[in-house]
């Protein structure tokens, strides 16, 4: 058995990463792709490796010879026309070498677990394509597979039908071919195809024709629970570094994206805070039904967004603004704020970052076990022009009662000071404890109070980005509105606001489910002797790991169990401490992280 890699391409989409090197010389997880590939070949006991070079071929050849000439029989075939041809021609140029033995065919932009090659060699069929069940992140050729594992058809982008996704398998671009198949079937077809259609095509085009033959079938080798990735551009490279990296670098690479974790199949996100119980399927179905219309239409301007929010939350239109997530509204408030701002600490980092025209004074609550304290907040009101309260606090989950908030609002009003209250997580407090300041009577009485509410998190639609600002100060509302774009909300978010009242009961029921599940998690975590869990009124729990290093635990959770945990060690207020924050998800997911913590070896 031998292997061939098609490595002639220029990799233009990788831009700076392939400026001076071909694609297989790009590093993933601190090792070049060519090294990953050769490691897999050596482990599978393959001793002969044919590489078709082209762009920056001399550098590749020198590198491979310098490292592996004593470990492999290396054969180099040059595609001098790499800039004007495609991999069908590169494959053809290696014909004389490939007909000498059975062959594993590799593309140069792949990374995969080493066992893929060994498993493919051990497959009982002679001509086999490695395929994986289609997932949303995949791109390129897919195949359909018969019950007997015959590949029935190769389907390109032009024939892809989303209604048939359950039937599709993505080609991994790793194949095993017998020398008999290559010499008697594949290359005759390849030569005929190139003669008719030219050299700017792909070798899979020929396979598409061959799989229709009655006798020369290509079998599917379905890979399951094996990580692989195709690297076409810089984003693919970042994703591959997460999938194949380990340790602190991998953790930082993943968390630095601030989301987009849907790209990583099988990972469970306990870092970001999303309601898993809402929207229910009937609301999702309604959004999906309207998708073709909504995607082709401009959203309405702010007047309509505010009208929808006013109807949904029963607040006067004059008191409301709708934002592209709460972050946009926070940033706009910060833009018009000067003087000094008191911010409870630790808290949502955005409140320390955003006030670029004001001086931020921290109200350090780390010495009172991360609770919010009315007297400390009053001192901040005395001292500062504005004071920020995140209620429930993030990450502690500690919540001030409505009576305490009214007391502070009165105190700030008498002092002619502003109070910003962020109640993004308050709906999760539980049926007997939740309240809202987005109330006409409250806002009318306290024009000095600005209320911020993230809808995206609580509604379980963070991808749509929705937030509210409530205040009866007409001058402030006017000034913030002038800072917002005309179209700051997309059509899907607008439609969610429009139809919310149809599903309001479902939403409140989902918040009750979160509260119930949070209490269960609190009780179970409290049974683990080496950690301390804090009571919470939000959809997350803050945990003190005591003498267990929080970074090491978070890395191990990611590397070994695909669990993404919020490590708080780099957050202000947790210096030299080992705290994590865990999102409350549904019961099945929560049981996974409970088991991980119960079984964690200190």
């Amino acid at each position: 058995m031998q292997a061939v890699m098609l490595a002639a391409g220029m990799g233009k989409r990788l831009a700076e990463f392939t400026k001076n090197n071909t694609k297989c010389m790009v590093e993933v997880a601190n090792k070049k792709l060519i090294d990953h590939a050769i490691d897999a070949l050596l482990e599978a006991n393959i001793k002969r490796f044919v590489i078709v070079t082209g762009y920056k071929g001399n550098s590749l050849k020198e590198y491979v010879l310098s490292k592996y000439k004593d470990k492999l029989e290396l054969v180099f075939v040059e595609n001098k026309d790499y800039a004007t041809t495609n991999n069908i021609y590169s494959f053809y140029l290696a014909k004389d070498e490939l007909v000498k033995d059975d062959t594993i065919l590799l593309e140069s932009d792949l990374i995969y677990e080493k066992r893929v090659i060994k498993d493919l060699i051990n497959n009982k069929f002679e001509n086999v394509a490695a395929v994986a069940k289609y997932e949303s992140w995949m791109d390129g050729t897919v195949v359909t597979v018969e019950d007997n594992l015959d590949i029935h058809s190769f389907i390109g982008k032009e024939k892809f039908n989303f209604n048939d996704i359950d039937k599709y398998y993505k080609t991994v671009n790793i194949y095993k071919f017998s020398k008999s198949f290559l010499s008697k079937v594949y290359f005759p077809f390849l030569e005929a195809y190139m003669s008719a259609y030219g050299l700017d095509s792909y070798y899979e085009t020929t396979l598409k024709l061959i799989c229709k033959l009655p006798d020369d079938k290509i079998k599917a080798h379905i890979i399951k629970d094996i990580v692989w990735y195709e690297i076409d551009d810089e984003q693919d490279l970042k994703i591959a570094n997460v999938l194949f990296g380990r340790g602190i670098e991998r953790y930082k690479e993943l968390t630095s994206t601030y989301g987009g974790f849907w790209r990583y199949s099988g990972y469970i996100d306990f870092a970001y805070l999303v309601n898993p119980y809402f929207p229910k399927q009937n609301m999702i179905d309604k959004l999906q039904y309207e998708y073709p219309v909504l995607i082709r239409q401009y959203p309405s301007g702010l007047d309509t967004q505010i009208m929808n929010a006013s109807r949904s939350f029963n607040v006067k239109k004059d008191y409301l603004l709708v934002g592209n997530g709460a972050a946009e509204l926070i940033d706009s408030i910060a833009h018009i704020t000067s003087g000094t701002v008191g911010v409870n600490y630790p808290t949502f980092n955005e409140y320390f970052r955003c006030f670029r025209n004001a001086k931020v004074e921290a109200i350090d609550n780390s010495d009172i076990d991360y609770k919010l304290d009315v007297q400390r907040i009053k001192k901040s009101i005395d001292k500062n022009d504005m004071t920020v309260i995140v209620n429930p606090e993030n990450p502690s989950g500690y919540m001030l009662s409505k009576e305490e908030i009214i007391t502070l609002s009165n105190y700030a009003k008498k002092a002619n000071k502003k109070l910003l209250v962020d109640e993004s997580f308050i709906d999760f407090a539980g049926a007997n404890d939740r309240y809202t300041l987005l109330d006409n009577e409250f806002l009318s009485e306290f024009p000095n109070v600005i209320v911020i509410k993230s809808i995206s998190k609580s509604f379980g639609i963070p991808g749509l980005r929705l937030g509210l600002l409530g205040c009866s100060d007409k001058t402030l509302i006017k000034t913030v509105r002038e800072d917002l774009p005309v179209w700051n909300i997309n059509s899907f978010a607008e439609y969610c606001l429009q139809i919310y009242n149809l599903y309001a009961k479902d939403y409140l029921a989902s918040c009750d489910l979160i509260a119930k599940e949070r209490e269960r998690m609190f009780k179970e975590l409290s049974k683990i002797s080496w950690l301390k869990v804090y009571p919470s009124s939000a959809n997350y729990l803050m945990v003190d790991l005591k003498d267990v290093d929080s970074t090491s635990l978070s890395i191990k959770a990611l590397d070994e169990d695909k669990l993404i945990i919020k490590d708080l060690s780099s957050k202000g207020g947790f210096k030299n401490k080992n705290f994590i924050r865990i999102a409350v998800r549904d019961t099945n997911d929560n049981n996974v992280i409970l088991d991980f913590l119960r079984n964690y070896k200190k």
Side-chain angles (χ1 to χ4, degrees):
M1 183 70 68
Q2 64 181 354
V4 60
M5 175 181 283
L6 306 181
M10 298 175 69
K12 291 180 179 178
R13 283 186 286 174
L14 277 164
E16 62 184 83
F17 296 97
T18 51
K19 184 177 180 180
N20 298 308
N21 273 312
T22 188
K23 278 205 283 189
C24 64
M25 293 285 279
V26 171
E27 286 195 0
V28 175
N30 298 316
K31 191 160 65 173
K32 298 181 190 299
L33 285 173
I34 188 68
D35 293 320
H36 285 287
I38 290 176
D39 284 351
L41 298 181
L42 292 173
E43 186 165 299
N45 202 33
I46 290 178
K47 300 299 185 181
R48 190 170 194 265
F49 190 23
V50 180
I51 306 175
V52 183
T53 65
Y55 175 69
K56 302 294 181 182
N58 287 335
S59 296
L60 172 60
K61 183 176 180 180
E62 290 173 7
Y63 178 79
V64 173
L65 285 171
S66 69
K67 288 194 69 173
Y68 301 106
K69 63 182 179 181
D70 297 328
K71 298 180 180 179
L72 284 166
E73 178 188 346
L74 294 164
V75 179
F76 296 90
V77 176
E78 184 180 8
N79 180 356
K80 295 180 180 180
D81 299 314
Y82 63 85
T84 58
T85 62
N86 222 311
N87 67 17
I88 193 170
Y89 186 56
S90 291
F91 198 29
Y92 171 74
L93 290 175
K95 172 186 174 183
D96 291 344
E97 299 298 333
L98 298 185
V99 296
K100 293 178 180 178
D101 200 352
D102 297 342
T103 297
I104 297 291
L105 170 62
L106 307 170
E107 292 195 15
S108 65
D109 56 0
L110 294 174
I111 185 167
Y112 39 85
E113 292 183 47
K114 290 189 287 187
R115 58 191 170 119
V116 170
I117 304 299
K118 188 181 289 186
D119 290 349
L120 201 60
I121 292 172
N122 292 333
N123 189 296
K124 66 180 181 179
F125 298 111
E126 289 187 338
N127 302 300
V128 183
V131 301
K133 195 68 178 171
Y134 179 82
E135 296 183 43
S136 61
W137 60 265
M138 297 174 180
D139 190 24
T141 301
V142 297
V143 299
T144 56
V145 178
E146 303 285 4
D147 291 341
N148 65 355
L149 297 180
D150 283 351
I151 292 181
H152 177 263
S153 58
F154 282 73
I155 299 168
K157 293 179 181 179
E158 70 284 353
K159 297 291 186 180
F160 192 101
N161 187 338
F162 281 93
N163 293 323
D164 293 331
I165 276 181
D166 289 344
K167 303 175 185 176
Y168 288 160
Y169 291 84
K170 172 70 181 73
T171 54
V172 181
N173 296 331
I174 303 176
Y175 296 85
K176 179 179 75 171
F177 296 128
S178 70
K179 65 179 181 180
S180 174
F181 171 81
L182 288 173
S183 61
K184 296 178 180 179
V185 180
Y186 185 82
F187 281 118
F189 264 86
L190 188 70
E191 290 169 352
Y193 186 90
M194 289 192 302
S195 177
Y197 298 104
L199 310 181
D200 188 19
S201 189
Y202 300 92
Y203 64 81
E204 283 185 332
T205 308
T206 310
L207 295 177
K208 181 179 180 180
L209 301 173
I210 292 172
C211 74
K212 297 298 184 182
L213 297 175
D215 300 321
D216 299 296
K217 292 297 184 182
I218 300 170
K219 296 288 187 176
H221 176 78
I222 300 172
I223 63 174
K224 300 176 181 178
D225 302 320
I226 291 179
V227 182
W228 68 279
Y229 210 79
E230 183 178 0
I231 301 165
D232 289 324
D233 54 32
E234 185 175 355
Q235 184 175 55
D236 288 339
L237 186 58
K238 288 179 69 69
I239 293 169
N241 272 308
V242 170
L243 293 174
F244 288 88
R246 286 293 181 269
I248 188 64
E249 290 183 3
R250 179 194 195 200
Y251 184 81
K252 286 181 177 179
E253 185 80 56
L254 177 66
T255 55
S256 68
T257 63
Y258 301 103
F261 297 158
W262 49 267
R263 294 182 176 91
Y264 307 103
S265 176
Y267 288 63
I268 307 178
D269 176 16
F270 288 96
Y272 285 91
L273 311 168
V274 182
N275 184 347
Y277 296 113
F278 189 83
K280 293 177 69 175
Q281 190 60 47
N282 56 350
M283 183 174 174
I284 293 172
D285 289 343
K286 191 170 183 65
L287 287 167
Q288 288 178 327
Y289 179 78
E290 298 295 343
Y291 178 87
V293 173
L294 295 174
I295 197 172
R296 292 184 175 274
Q297 298 291 330
Y298 273 88
S300 304
L302 269 173
D303 284 342
T304 301
Q305 313 298 354
I306 293 167
M307 178 184 68
N308 285 331
S310 174
R311 181 180 63 250
S312 295
F313 293 89
N314 196 28
V315 178
K316 292 180 180 179
K317 291 186 290 184
D318 293 344
Y319 293 175
L320 282 177
L321 288 174
V322 180
N324 184 27
E328 181 182 50
L329 298 168
I330 294 168
D331 195 64
S332 291
I333 285 290
H335 186 239
I336 65 169
T337 299
S338 58
T340 58
V341 180
V343 180
N344 285 278
Y345 174 87
T347 193
F348 181 37
N349 283 342
E350 195 69 9
Y351 286 111
F352 283 96
R353 183 205 65 81
C354 67
F355 290 105
R356 49 198 175 276
N357 300 319
K359 181 181 179 182
V360 176
E361 299 282 349
I363 312 167
D364 190 351
N365 297 318
S366 59
D367 62 333
I368 54 171
D369 217 17
Y370 304 97
K371 297 177 180 178
L372 296 172
D373 181 76
V374 170
Q375 295 307 314
R376 289 190 179 191
I377 296 171
K378 283 183 176 180
K379 289 179 181 179
S380 172
I381 292 170
D382 291 335
K383 183 179 180 182
N384 299 301
D385 300 291
M386 176 190 284
T387 296
V388 175
I389 304 170
V390 177
N391 189 50
E393 185 56 279
N394 179 10
S396 71
Y398 188 90
M399 187 176 82
L400 295 173
S401 68
K402 188 171 185 179
E403 291 73 23
E404 289 172 313
I405 289 291
I406 290 174
T407 296
L408 291 168
S409 300
N410 267 313
Y411 191 85
K413 183 179 179 180
K414 290 176 182 177
N416 196 28
K417 301 292 183 69
K418 291 191 180 302
L419 197 65
L420 188 155
V421 182
D422 186 327
E423 60 170 48
S424 292
F425 303 102
I426 206 164
D427 291 349
F428 299 117
N432 296 324
D433 300 314
R434 75 171 65 104
Y435 61 92
T436 181
L437 304 183
L438 289 174
D439 172 83
N440 288 323
E441 184 178 345
F442 176 88
L443 293 174
S444 297
E445 185 175 352
F446 299 108
N448 60 309
V449 178
I450 304 162
V451 181
I452 294 288
K453 188 180 189 73
S454 168
I455 303 175
S456 302
K457 299 181 184 71
S458 54
F459 276 22
I461 52 169
L464 296 186
R465 312 301 303 135
L466 269 175
L468 292 180
L469 183 153
C471 186
S472 64
D473 183 336
K474 293 181 179 179
T475 301
L476 183 140
I477 290 288
K478 180 176 183 293
T479 306
V480 174
R481 177 170 181 154
E482 289 173 350
D483 195 52
L484 296 174
V486 175
W487 293 293
N488 66 330
I489 304 300
N490 66 56
S491 296
F492 297 98
E494 175 184 341
Y495 192 63
C496 275
L497 273 180
Q498 180 177 316
I499 66 174
Y500 165 70
N501 280 340
L502 298 174
Y503 307 97
K505 289 183 179 179
D506 290 341
Y507 171 65
L508 290 176
S510 75
C511 293
D512 291 339
L513 286 172
I514 288 285
K516 182 180 179 181
E517 188 62 18
R518 179 186 63 236
E519 294 311 307
R520 182 185 77 89
M521 283 192 73
F522 178 84
K523 290 178 182 177
E524 292 302 314
L525 289 168
S526 297
K527 296 175 184 177
I528 302 174
S529 61
W530 52 271
L531 55 78
K532 173 186 176 181
V533 57
Y534 284 71
S536 172
S537 295
N539 61 332
Y540 48 85
L541 292 162
M542 187 172 76
V543 180
D544 181 0
L545 304 179
K546 300 178 183 177
D547 61 342
V548 173
D549 183 72
S550 59
T551 302
S552 298
L553 180 139
S554 300
I555 290 170
K556 187 173 183 179
L558 180 63
D559 285 352
E560 297 185 6
D561 291 73
K562 295 184 176 181
L563 308 180
I564 307 169
I565 297 173
K566 179 69 173 178
D567 174 20
L568 298 175
S569 62
S570 61
K571 191 178 181 72
F574 297 100
K575 186 177 181 181
N576 299 321
K577 296 180 180 180
N578 294 304
F579 280 69
I580 60 173
R581 188 192 67 196
I582 302 172
V584 177
R585 296 176 59 89
D586 64 29
T587 301
N588 290 336
D589 286 350
N590 294 334
N591 285 340
V592 173
I593 199 166
L594 286 170
D595 286 343
F596 169 78
L597 291 169
R598 290 183 189 116
N599 298 319
Y600 184 77
K601 305 294 185 191
K602 293 197 289 179

